[in-house]
Amino acid sequence: MRINRLICEPSIRIGIVGAGCAGLTAAEELRDLGYKNITIIDAKNRVGGKTYSIRYADASLQARGIYEGGTVWILPSPLYKKYRKRYGISPSVHVMPRVQVFDLATSKVTSPFLVESKYSLFSRLWQLRTFFQELDKYTRYSDPGYINPVYRGMNESSPQWFNKQGLDFIRDALMPIANAAQFGYLEQEASTAYVIRLLALLNRCNFLKKLVLNMPQLQEGNQELWNRLAATHHLCLGQTIERVSRGQTIVVETASNQWEFERLIWTAPVDEFLGVADVSPEEADIFSRVRTIKRAVITCKVEGLPTNIFYVIRNTLNQPLPTSYPLAIYEVDPGSKIYNFYPFMDETTTFEELESNIADCVKKLGGTQLTPLGQPLIWKWFSHFSAEDLKDGIYQRLEILQGNQNTYFANEMTAGVSVPYGMEYAAYLVERFF
């Protein structure tokens, strides 16, 4: 469905704030429609947003020599397929180790679907079949973000939902992965809509991939696609926006530059928009309700750990961990002895706590010498609304907001955490309005 779609006028000046995956997708799709006057602005000096590939070794070495400082997996999306072909990204991928659950209490390592449980094999299989059938309702590529009104009714916490559906084993099997990927210590607070939407990404994989969970990364690094795509667009990097004024045109100002646009697409975090723009009362009310948490990525060289592992530390309401304890660890290349750790943070977390918890995790896994590589990378993560706001139709209000004062929003708040969702929502926004 297209709403208030413009007749393409190539000369219209379109500004995009944010050179992450959503912003670059919007630029690419706009250009495909014939728009020619597009400017992308970002405060960082690099593109890719939460895709951030860092080289740790010389490219001539046999090892891939890259660790991902941001998003981990590459999950299926038609847009990924189109862009990878367009920009010459290798069709071969770096297959990551299969995901296994490590139980700190018992030191047992198992497949997620073989974790200790009171349920029989038959009951587990029934729950698997039932759950993946349920996910089919939320896997449609034509249904981006939280536009579907069904999400409004999914405002109870996920433990309640899994229990009502008779899927407690699925919660035990998959929530440690979901918590490590997105929710951290918020399992009890995160509305079912967010949990189901995240896990629905699994239904984009074939049955064996869903069971084994050995996901791919781009051979050249997850960020390289965006580097190549961005090189074909007009970029203004290292530009921190100080003011956005909207009248007959939209004026965007930084300390050193000023731009004038007829349309603005904001793909940066909305709290930044609140801080610089002439927001309407409705924008102020909606955006002030957005909640986030912090996720850290800490890369270390470690001696003595098993090679080629991807462990999710068992973490659920029944087996809670400290807020800042790493929820996942994997070796970035087989035999490299370089591992990424993934803790979350709250307002009281210190770097000393992060280091202490990682050292404890390494010790329990049998590791010895631990050497950090670089500083921890801290990400603003999981943009979401409260269960009450979800029930009251916050996403419906957000959709009505699109296009007011010729301003549009496409980011984690609208799409959900994951690169494919960000890309697909941005493309859908362009299709509807431009």
Side-chain angles (χ1 to χ4, degrees):
M1 180 177 180
R2 292 175 178 171
I3 305 170
N4 297 329
R5 194 182 193 282
L6 300 173
I7 296 174
C8 176
E9 296 182 28
S11 62
I12 286 180
R13 296 168 296 178
I14 301 174
I16 298 175
V17 176
C21 305
L24 293 173
T25 296
E28 192 79 356
E29 296 301 303
L30 285 167
R31 188 171 61 188
D32 284 353
L33 289 176
Y35 293 94
K36 299 183 183 300
N37 200 342
I38 304 164
T39 301
I40 306 167
I41 306 166
D42 200 295
K44 298 186 186 72
N45 287 309
R46 64 172 186 85
V47 303
K50 286 190 173 75
T51 59
Y52 188 23
S53 303
I54 301 168
R55 185 162 293 282
Y56 68 84
D58 187 273
S60 64
L61 297 179
Q62 287 186 340
R64 180 168 172 262
I66 295 169
Y67 66 85
E68 300 297 345
T71 54
V72 182
W73 292 332
I74 295 296
L75 291 156
S77 170
L79 287 170
Y80 250 130
K81 185 177 181 180
K82 178 172 79 171
Y83 294 167
R84 286 175 66 178
K85 183 177 180 180
R86 180 177 291 179
Y87 289 101
I89 296 295
S90 172
S92 64
V93 294
H94 172 68
V95 179
M96 299 177 66
R98 63 191 178 98
V99 173
Q100 296 177 289
V101 176
F102 182 85
D103 192 326
L104 286 176
T106 63
S107 296
K108 288 185 178 179
V109 178
T110 62
S111 160
F113 300 111
L114 295 176
V115 294
E116 289 186 6
S117 173
K118 65 182 180 181
Y119 294 98
S120 66
L121 177 60
F122 176 80
S123 178
R124 295 182 187 210
L125 292 172
W126 178 87
Q127 290 190 39
L128 272 172
R129 180 175 179 272
T130 301
F131 182 65
F132 285 126
Q133 285 180 338
E134 179 70 16
L135 289 187
D136 279 338
K137 302 175 186 177
Y138 311 102
T139 312
R140 296 184 294 272
Y141 293 108
S142 59
D143 190 18
Y146 298 92
I147 294 172
N148 190 331
V150 72
Y151 291 117
R152 182 172 178 174
M154 300 175 72
N155 52 73
E156 62 187 343
S157 71
S158 62
Q160 291 176 299
W161 184 86
F162 280 108
N163 183 259
K164 285 182 180 179
Q165 302 294 324
L167 298 173
D168 285 319
F169 165 69
I170 297 299
R171 180 169 74 92
D172 287 342
L174 292 181
M175 281 312 297
I177 301 171
N179 290 338
Q182 182 164 342
F183 307 114
Y185 49 90
L186 294 182
E187 180 183 354
Q188 182 64 35
E189 299 178 32
S191 296
T192 303
Y194 298 114
V195 175
I196 291 299
R197 182 152 174 78
L198 176 71
L199 294 177
L201 288 166
L202 292 175
N203 259 19
R204 298 186 174 198
C205 305
N206 61 41
F207 184 71
L208 181 60
K209 181 72 73 176
K210 282 187 283 194
L211 289 182
V212 177
L213 293 172
N214 56 340
M215 300 299 186
Q217 295 173 332
L218 297 185
Q219 192 66 42
E220 298 93 333
N222 294 347
Q223 188 184 355
E224 180 59 20
L225 169 62
W226 304 106
N227 290 339
R228 296 184 190 183
L229 187 154
T232 69
H233 288 273
H234 179 218
L235 295 171
C236 299
L237 301 180
Q239 298 288 318
T240 300
I241 292 173
E242 296 183 348
R243 184 177 176 85
V244 175
S245 306
R246 294 174 291 179
Q248 288 187 335
T249 60
I250 300 169
V251 178
V252 177
E253 301 174 57
T254 67
S256 57
N257 282 292
Q258 178 176 301
W259 299 268
E260 191 173 12
F261 304 115
E262 277 77 46
R263 301 287 184 273
L264 180 69
I265 301 176
W266 188 277
T267 68
V270 291
D271 60 335
E272 296 175 14
F273 186 78
L274 279 177
V276 299
D278 52 348
V279 296
S280 68
E282 181 72 346
E283 287 171 336
D285 184 59
I286 292 175
F287 298 160
S288 66
R289 294 174 182 270
V290 176
R291 304 177 176 189
T292 59
I293 55 178
K294 289 182 180 179
R295 185 191 192 194
V297 181
I298 301 175
T299 306
C300 302
K301 187 161 189 177
V302 187
E303 299 290 340
L305 289 184
T307 189
N308 203 28
I309 60 167
F310 194 137
Y311 288 164
V312 171
I313 310 300
R314 193 169 188 185
N315 61 91
T316 61
L317 291 178
N318 301 327
Q319 289 186 286
L321 291 170
T323 297
S324 57
Y325 204 88
L327 299 187
I329 168 180
Y330 82 96
E331 189 179 28
V332 301
D333 288 315
S336 66
K337 299 183 180 180
I338 294 175
Y339 298 80
N340 271 4
F341 296 83
Y342 296 90
F344 286 80
M345 306 171 67
D346 63 19
E347 63 277 2
T348 68
T349 303
T350 65
F351 287 151
E352 289 75 19
E353 286 179 51
L354 294 177
E355 292 171 357
S356 176
N357 285 332
I358 287 175
D360 181 76
C361 181
V362 166
K363 182 178 179 181
K364 289 177 177 175
L365 289 168
T368 53
Q369 186 177 346
L370 174 70
T371 306
L373 299 183
Q375 294 297 311
L377 297 170
I378 310 299
W379 299 99
K380 188 182 297 182
W381 207 255
F382 183 32
S383 295
H384 65 286
F385 294 102
S386 69
E388 183 179 351
D389 285 336
L390 205 64
K391 184 178 180 180
D392 290 343
I394 194 79
Y395 282 105
Q396 286 67 38
R397 290 173 60 191
L398 181 57
E399 284 304 309
I400 292 171
L401 202 62
Q402 296 285 25
N404 285 355
Q405 298 188 78
N406 294 320
T407 306
Y408 306 84
F409 300 93
N411 46 34
E412 282 184 8
M413 174 193 65
T414 55
V417 172
S418 85
V419 172
Y421 283 156
M423 295 166 67
E424 289 157 18
Y425 186 92
Y428 188 61
L429 182 141
V430 169
E431 178 190 7
R432 283 191 296 161
F433 295 108
F434 292 85

